[in-house]
């Protein structure tokens, strides 16, 4: 279906949409069915399986109702949460043009700016240093001469032609249903009506997990009720001598209970298979597509694998240890500064998503502390990029960006 929005771009998956909602017809039908199954099961159990049984009532209130509420909440979050779609104007966390921006501004400042001398001796004028600077400036000139090249090949930056040549992080893949590139795209799941990616993978796993537990409780309540009502197999049929007179037993073999039993069995096996399939994603923090690409030699673990071992990328938090928030359908939170690392791009919140794709451009350099801090200007918010320094031997070096301010 691709990018669509409704209500004046209020809802949808386009770059302009303010609230992420996938409008795929198949997805909307399936997610409605997923929610309807849970609602039907809860109503049917409360009407048919609780009358006259204290045990059933306790199991229903203590276990089934919490599983039902958590499953419905997880379904809503999985459906309505942006899965990690790359916004228009996103740019790499690090790019060679940032170095060139430093060199350009530093060469103009030279010895005229005392702060530059203090920042690492950029203003020195010995022959060796001048030769180094000439070589670096030549690199900048060569890059400028190729500025007319297409965006898809510019400076080796990955771009998506289907997303108007927008920047495409290494761990992002284009989802044809939503029409967007999604970071750590696992698959499009019609049962949650959304693509499953970096920011909603947790909700997808919670939904199938709590749905599995809810179906188990449905089967337990049905089975318990059948036996407490005295039903037994006789000539291939369920018969009971006391069911007619026992409270709540008359409708235990009704059509709606039979439908609930069949659907519960089907959903139980389906969700168990899905959970088994997701175990590896939970453990190694890689998507299904990434694993397939790495196994076929189309990518390496450095490009497609997890970016940190300090916390679980699917559930967030500050460590890899299981925590209470793993089991609740609350938004994933990463340690300070790590969300950009997980998503693989930088983006200025001042942009509304309807701008142009990021392109490398010369930006000003400011002196700060012990080194130069070039500023990549995107929109109205500058962002620091790697520092230009000289090592003890006088050679120019680049320090990769390690943290943000």
């Amino acid at each position: 279906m691709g990018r669509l929005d409704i209500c004046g771009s209020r809802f949808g998956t386009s770059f302009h949409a303010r609230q992420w909602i996938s409008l795929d017809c198949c997805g909307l039908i399936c997610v409605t069915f997923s929610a309807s199954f849970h609602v039907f099961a809860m109503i049917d159990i409360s009407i048919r399986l609780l009358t006259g049984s204290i045990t059933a009532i306790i199991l229903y209130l203590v276990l089934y109702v919490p599983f039902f509420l958590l499953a419905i909440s997880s379904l809503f979050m999985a459906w309505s949460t942006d899965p990690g779609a790359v916004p228009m104007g996103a740019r790499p966390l690090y790019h060679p043009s940032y170095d060139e921006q430093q060199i350009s501004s530093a060469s103009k400042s030279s010895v005229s700016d005392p702060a530059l001398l203090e920042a690492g001796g950029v203003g020195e004028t010995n022959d060796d240093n001048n030769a180094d600077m000439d070589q670096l400036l030549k690199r900048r000139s060569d890059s400028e001469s190729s500025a007319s090249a297409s965006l898809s090949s510019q400076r080796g930056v990955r771009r998506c032609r289907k997303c108007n040549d927008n920047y495409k992080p290494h761990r992002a893949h284009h989802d044809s249903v939503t029409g967007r590139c999604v970071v750590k795209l696992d698959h499009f799941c019609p049962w949650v009506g959304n693509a499953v990616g970096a920011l909603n993978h947790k909700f997808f796993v919670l939904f199938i997990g709590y749905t599995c537990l809810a179906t188990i409780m449905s089967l337990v309540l049905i089975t318990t009720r059948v036996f407490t009502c005295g039903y037994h197999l006789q000539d291939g049929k369920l018969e009971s001598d006391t069911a007619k007179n026992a409270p709540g037993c008359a409708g235990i073999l009704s059509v709606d209970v039979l439908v609930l039993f069949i659907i519960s069995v089907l959903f139980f096996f389906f969700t168990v298979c899905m959970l088994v399939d997701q175990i590896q994603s939970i453990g190694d923090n890689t998507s299904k597509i990434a694993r397939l690409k790495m196994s076929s030699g189309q990518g390496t673990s450095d490009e497609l694998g997890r970016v940190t071992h300090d916390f679980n990328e699917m559930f967030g938090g500050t460590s890899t240890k299981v925590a209470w928030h793993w089991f609740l359908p609350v938004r994933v939170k990463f340690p300070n500064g790590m969300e950009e690392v997980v998503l693989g791009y930088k983006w200025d919140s001042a942009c509304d998503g309807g701008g142009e794709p990021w392109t490398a451009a010369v930006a000003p350099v400011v002196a700060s502390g012990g080194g130069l801090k070039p500023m990549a200007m995107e929109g109205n918010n500058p962002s620091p990029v790697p520092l230009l320094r000289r090592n003890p031997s006088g050679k120019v070096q680049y320090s990769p960006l390690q943290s943000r301010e």
Side-chain angles (χ1 to χ4, degrees):
M1 174 174 281
R3 295 186 295 273
L4 287 177
D5 53 43
I6 57 176
C7 300
S9 298
R10 184 176 179 83
F11 304 100
T13 61
S14 71
F15 290 109
H16 301 273
R18 295 188 291 276
Q19 171 60 51
W20 179 277
I21 292 292
S22 175
L23 301 175
D24 175 65
C25 292
C26 178
L28 291 174
I29 293 173
C30 290
V31 75
T32 301
F33 179 80
S34 297
S36 299
F37 160 70
H38 280 284
V39 174
F40 164 74
M42 183 192 69
I43 295 175
D44 201 53
I45 290 173
S46 63
I47 294 175
R48 297 292 190 183
L49 305 179
L50 302 183
T51 304
S53 174
I54 299 299
T55 302
I57 293 175
I58 293 175
L59 290 174
Y60 176 77
L61 294 177
V62 175
L63 294 177
Y64 182 82
V65 171
F67 292 154
F68 162 78
L69 294 175
L70 289 167
I72 288 293
S73 300
S74 299
L75 173 61
F76 176 78
M77 293 298 290
W79 172 60
S80 62
T81 299
D82 182 342
V86 181
M88 180 61 69
R91 63 182 186 274
L93 293 177
Y94 173 77
H95 188 262
S97 66
Y98 301 160
D99 296 337
E100 297 167 7
Q101 294 163 10
Q102 286 183 285
I103 297 166
S104 174
S105 299
S107 62
K108 291 178 182 178
S109 300
S110 190
V111 296
S112 61
D113 190 343
L116 298 184
L117 291 170
E118 198 175 58
V122 177
E124 298 172 9
T125 58
N126 61 67
D127 293 340
D128 291 340
N129 289 340
N130 285 338
D132 290 338
M133 188 62 72
D134 289 341
Q135 291 179 359
L136 295 171
L137 289 173
K138 184 177 183 300
R139 281 174 46 200
R140 176 181 179 274
S141 177
D142 292 341
S143 66
E144 287 178 346
S145 65
S146 61
S148 60
S150 65
L151 290 176
S152 298
S153 60
Q154 183 189 28
R155 306 175 189 271
V157 173
R158 295 178 75 243
R159 296 186 181 273
C160 179
R161 289 176 296 176
K162 297 178 181 179
C163 290
N164 304 328
D165 276 332
N166 193 34
Y167 171 62
K168 184 178 182 181
H170 281 291
R171 300 199 299 172
H173 307 281
H174 188 83
D175 174 45
S176 59
V177 180
T178 59
R180 297 286 294 276
C181 284
V182 177
V183 177
K184 295 184 67 178
L185 175 67
D186 193 83
H187 66 289
F188 182 92
C189 179
W191 299 108
V192 299
N194 199 1
V196 177
L199 300 182
N200 71 340
H201 204 152
K202 167 188 173 179
F203 306 129
F204 169 74
V205 171
L206 290 181
F207 169 66
I208 58 178
Y210 287 125
T211 298
C212 181
L213 293 174
T215 58
I216 291 175
M217 289 309 306
S218 295
L219 296 174
V220 168
L221 289 169
I222 293 173
T223 304
T224 301
R225 195 60 171 166
V226 167
F227 283 105
T228 56
C229 288
Y231 281 96
H232 58 276
L233 282 175
Q234 183 176 341
D235 298 330
K237 296 181 180 180
L238 283 174
E239 300 289 346
S240 175
D241 299 328
T242 60
K244 292 182 179 179
N245 299 322
C249 292
I252 191 64
L253 298 183
S254 60
V255 174
D256 53 296
V257 175
L258 179 61
V259 170
L260 174 62
F261 177 79
I262 294 174
I263 296 179
S264 296
V265 170
L266 293 176
F267 266 71
F268 168 74
F269 285 107
F270 175 72
T271 52
V272 166
C273 292
M274 292 295 292
L275 284 173
V276 171
D277 181 63
Q278 291 297 316
I279 289 177
Q280 189 172 358
S281 295
I282 298 172
D284 60 21
N285 286 206
T286 55
S287 66
K288 184 186 300 182
I289 293 178
R291 295 197 300 272
L292 291 174
K293 284 196 170 185
M294 287 188 287
S295 63
S296 62
Q298 299 181 40
T300 65
S301 59
D302 291 337
E303 295 175 333
L304 304 175
R306 65 191 303 168
V307 297
T308 179
H309 291 273
D310 295 334
F311 58 88
N312 188 289
E313 293 181 20
M314 182 184 295
F315 295 96
T318 57
S319 72
T320 56
K321 296 181 179 179
V322 178
W324 62 269
H325 63 82
W326 284 33
F327 303 97
L328 297 179
V330 294
R331 293 191 179 278
V332 179
K333 293 184 179 180
F334 301 105
N336 290 337
M338 289 304 297
E339 182 170 350
E340 287 184 349
V341 177
V342 172
L343 295 178
Y345 64 81
K346 298 174 72 68
W347 185 69
D348 294 324
S349 57
C351 300
D352 63 358
E356 297 295 329
W358 171 85
T359 57
V362 175
V365 176
V366 298
S368 174
L372 297 178
K373 185 179 294 183
M375 309 299 286
M377 303 296 293
E378 292 289 337
N380 297 321
N381 299 329
S383 300
V385 290
L387 305 178
L388 173 66
R389 298 181 184 275
R390 289 184 184 275
N391 62 21
S393 64
K395 300 294 184 181
V396 177
Q397 286 188 329
Y398 306 99
S399 301
L401 180 64
Q402 298 296 335
S403 63
R404 300 180 297 124
E405 292 184 352

